[in-house]
Amino acid sequence: MTTDSMRNTAQDPVQHPAQPELLGLLVQAVGAANVLTDPDVTEQYRRDMQPLASAGRPLAVVRPASTSEVAAVIEACTRHGVAVVPRGAGSGMTGAANAQDGAVTILTSRMTAILTIDAAAGYAVVQPGVITLDLIRAAEAAGMFYAPDPTSSDWCTIGGNLANGSGGPHGARYGVTADAVLGLEVVLASGRVLDTGRHTIKGVTGYDLNRLFAGSEGTLGFITRATLRLSRRRPALTTAVAAFASVEEAGRAVTDFIATGHSLVLLEIMDRACFGAVETHLGSRLLDEGGTPAAVLFAQSDSGTGVELTAFEDAARANGAILSFQTDDPAEGEMIMGYWRGLEAALETLGTWILHEVTVPRDKLAALILRAEEIAAETGVFVGVHGHAQDGTVHPMIVYPAATAGASDRARRAYRLILEAALDLGGPVTGEHGIGRMKADYLADALGEVGLEVHRAIKAALDPTGTFNPGSMFSFSPEERRTP
Ligand SMILES: Cc1cc2nc3c(=O)[nH]c(=O)nc-3n(C[C@H](O)[C@H](O)[C@H](O)COP(=O)(O)OP(=O)(O)OC[C@H]3O[C@@H](n4cnc5c(N)ncnc54)[C@H](O)[C@@H]3O)c2cc1C
């Protein structure tokens, strides 16, 4: 990884035998202004938000505006044996959208149209570059609700959400992005356009290709349009917070609440390291006495009945909560959720942060947090855990001084140890962020021999030329990469 990164910092443009002819075709397809080759300009599209992942130097970065432009770009690249990397906002945490040497990065930044919001039928049709929050707001304006809500929704794109199968705090109650997909339009390596779509709530015609492309991390095709399920707008939110003197008590409160059969629209956990950083940053403490709690749970209900929050408070109190408070006043709710939202800004002040993602069985949250504390001590970097308590997907935050010699290696070690701790506790390799470049080493073991063969067969069937994102998810050796 180090050698790769060092090589890729060179400023020479990557040479490729197909370069002049292909660049001419790209200009024909999208116009000269939308074919970026100046390394100073393309630099901003080389990496996503994962500082530890390697990145190459692209032949070009192109900005198509329509399905036919995407198709022309991809057909030309495939014909010239040049790989493509689809890229949304670059908010990913696995390096999956990182540039590859000599490949063409295709942006969705000019494909931002919300084409249809059909409240009566309950769906929206969008281009892939739509910012998730823009769709959430457009749905709200039509009296509807778009549920998938990655915490990065104010800048990530629907295309990236689909390709990563992204979820968020609403996931346990309303499902993740894959659950909202009714149909997709996808440009394949040949440049042909596949329509997997329907507009109806039900539909089981043929294989479930929507599910195949959702979570495919840009390795099977380029999503150019999506039909997504909308539901009715929710009543106003009510909010609760509970603080605990021990992580184990917080963990038991979560499992006891889940056992009641109720579900919340949001149930987030934050450990002492994360919560303390937020308190320091905001200059405000949750508890008047007793210092920073060992763990805090944030809860929100959208049922309009209050039943779920009462069940939550009962579970919190029964497990020794040192503070338990609920409110239906929106301003108080916002004040409480300000502690939850403040984390990223708080960590920004401490150094370079990595938003890790691991998923564990829900009754193992406390065990993971305690192991993360040990890993912080072992590696000498900051590790704090927060995340979605109802589905067991949590985000250990690693913060390190990137400019200090050896700090990146310690951060990388912490990253691996945390992932291995989650695997030991019975979790999958990823529950939310995807594989990308960061977890590719773990994929073969996780899938097993047959699973890997099936994955490779699907990849070969849909992308026989290895055009899509070859450096990410599961790597194909150069011999396996065939050109027509
Ligand atoms: C602060 C922060 C909070 C986050 N919170 C969450 C969270 O709560 N839940 C969560 O799941 N993730 C979260 N993430 C990770 C990230 O935001 C999501 O994975 C998001 O879905 C990525 O969207 P993007 O547009 O930035 O995609 P990118 O990072 O640009 O790309 C991601 C993947 O999608 C592929 N891709 C992009 N567009 C297309 C397309 N049109 N067709 C085919 N493939 C495509 C890329 O090749 C790449 O493999 C967070 C990240 C940050 C920085």
Side-chain angles (χ1 to χ4, degrees):
M1 196 175 276
T2 315
T3 323
D4 189 28
S5 311
M6 283 165 57
R7 177 162 54 81
N8 292 329
T9 55
Q11 284 299 304
D12 315 329
V14 170
Q15 296 299 321
H16 189 284
Q19 196 167 320
E21 191 185 330
L22 178 58
L23 287 174
L25 290 172
L26 298 181
V27 167
Q28 255 178 43
V30 298
N34 295 307
V35 179
L36 314 174
T37 52
D38 178 345
D40 289 340
V41 178
T42 58
E43 178 64 27
Q44 65 188 299
Y45 304 112
R46 282 185 63 223
R47 296 182 169 281
D48 65 7
M49 290 296 286
Q50 175 52 257
L52 298 181
S54 60
R57 293 182 55 76
L59 168 65
V61 174
V62 298
R63 297 184 297 202
S66 64
T67 303
S68 57
E69 289 187 9
V70 171
V73 166
I74 290 174
E75 190 277 327
C77 288
T78 299
R79 195 148 39 87
H80 287 82
V82 168
V84 302
V85 178
R87 183 178 172 102
S91 74
M93 291 303 308
T94 67
N98 281 8
Q100 293 173 29
D101 281 338
V104 171
T105 294
I106 307 178
L107 304 183
T108 56
S109 54
R110 293 176 68 226
M111 301 182 76
T112 57
I114 296 177
L115 301 163
T116 310
I117 299 261
D118 188 329
Y123 69 84
V125 182
V126 299
Q127 286 189 307
V130 167
I131 303 294
T132 310
L133 189 59
D134 290 347
L135 175 58
I136 292 171
R137 290 201 172 131
E140 267 170 18
M144 300 298 284
F145 173 53
Y146 177 66
D149 62 335
T151 320
S152 51
S153 61
D154 56 343
W155 66 292
C156 65
T157 67
I158 293 295
N161 297 173
L162 288 162
N164 272 359
S166 296
H170 292 163
R173 185 171 168 100
Y174 288 107
V176 296
T177 308
D179 299 309
V181 184
L182 298 177
L184 297 174
E185 179 188 80
V186 183
V187 175
L188 301 175
S190 59
R192 296 181 71 203
V193 180
L194 167 72
D195 191 345
T196 69
R198 60 186 161 95
H199 289 167
T200 52
I201 297 303
K202 285 175 121 179
V204 289
T205 315
Y207 295 134
D208 190 348
L209 298 181
N210 292 335
R211 285 274 173 182
L212 182 59
F213 283 98
S216 63
E217 300 189 25
T219 63
L220 296 180
F222 193 101
I223 299 163
T224 45
R225 187 177 295 201
T227 305
L228 302 165
R229 182 196 306 268
L230 303 178
S231 32
R232 284 279 145 207
R233 191 159 57 193
R234 307 160 300 158
L237 294 172
T238 48
T239 304
V241 63
F244 299 84
S246 87
V247 173
E248 291 93 333
E249 286 168 342
R252 280 196 296 272
V254 170
T255 39
D256 284 358
F257 168 73
I258 290 169
T260 64
H262 292 296
S263 81
L264 289 158
V265 66
L266 174 147
L267 180 56
E268 295 283 304
I269 190 165
M270 220 185 245
D271 73 356
R272 189 196 307 272
C274 284
F275 198 77
V278 175
E279 283 187 326
T280 305
H281 183 64
L282 296 181
S284 133
R285 301 219 158 264
L286 181 69
L287 302 175
D288 293 334
E289 301 172 3
T292 301
V296 177
L297 294 173
F298 299 90
Q300 284 192 311
S301 164
D302 63 352
S303 73
T305 67
V307 174
E308 293 85 359
L309 285 190
T310 301
F312 167 75
E313 281 212 296
D314 289 347
R317 290 206 182 104
N319 285 287
I322 44 179
L323 167 95
S324 175
F325 173 76
Q326 67 164 291
T327 179
D328 55 10
D329 175 26
E332 275 183 345
E334 264 311 297
M335 200 253 301
I336 290 169
M337 295 311 292
Y339 282 96
W340 177 65
R341 287 203 192 89
L343 181 62
E344 205 183 306
L347 296 184
E348 199 81 53
T349 62
L350 301 182
T352 299
W353 54 261
I354 297 169
L355 173 67
H356 202 341
E357 172 264 315
V358 290
T359 298
V360 292
R362 296 178 296 197
D363 60 338
K364 300 288 191 297
L365 282 172
L368 183 82
I369 292 174
L370 294 172
R371 177 69 188 119
E373 284 174 11
E374 290 169 5
I375 292 169
E378 278 167 49
T379 57
V381 295
F382 172 102
V383 182
V385 180
H386 73 107
H388 320 313
Q390 265 178 142
D391 58 25
T393 296
V394 287
H395 300 295
M397 305 295 296
I398 301 167
V399 190
Y400 63 105
T404 303
S408 293
D409 288 341
R410 286 187 285 123
R412 187 170 287 122
R413 181 154 174 263
Y415 186 97
R416 294 189 86 89
L417 288 174
I418 292 166
L419 179 54
E420 278 156 21
L423 295 173
D424 287 347
L425 289 167
V429 175
T430 172
E432 200 171 79
H433 283 182
I435 298 287
R437 292 170 180 238
M438 294 301 287
K439 295 179 175 177
D441 291 355
Y442 293 84
L443 190 69
D445 276 353
L447 293 176
E449 194 184 327
V450 178
L452 191 61
E453 265 172 35
V454 170
H455 272 65
R456 286 182 176 246
I458 291 170
K459 172 78 176 171
L462 284 171
D463 181 19
T465 47
T467 297
F468 284 104
N469 219 352
S472 189
M473 194 161 165
F474 54 118
S475 303
F476 284 82
S477 63
E479 303 79 61
E480 283 178 281
R481 184 147 191 276
R482 288 175 276 141
T483 46

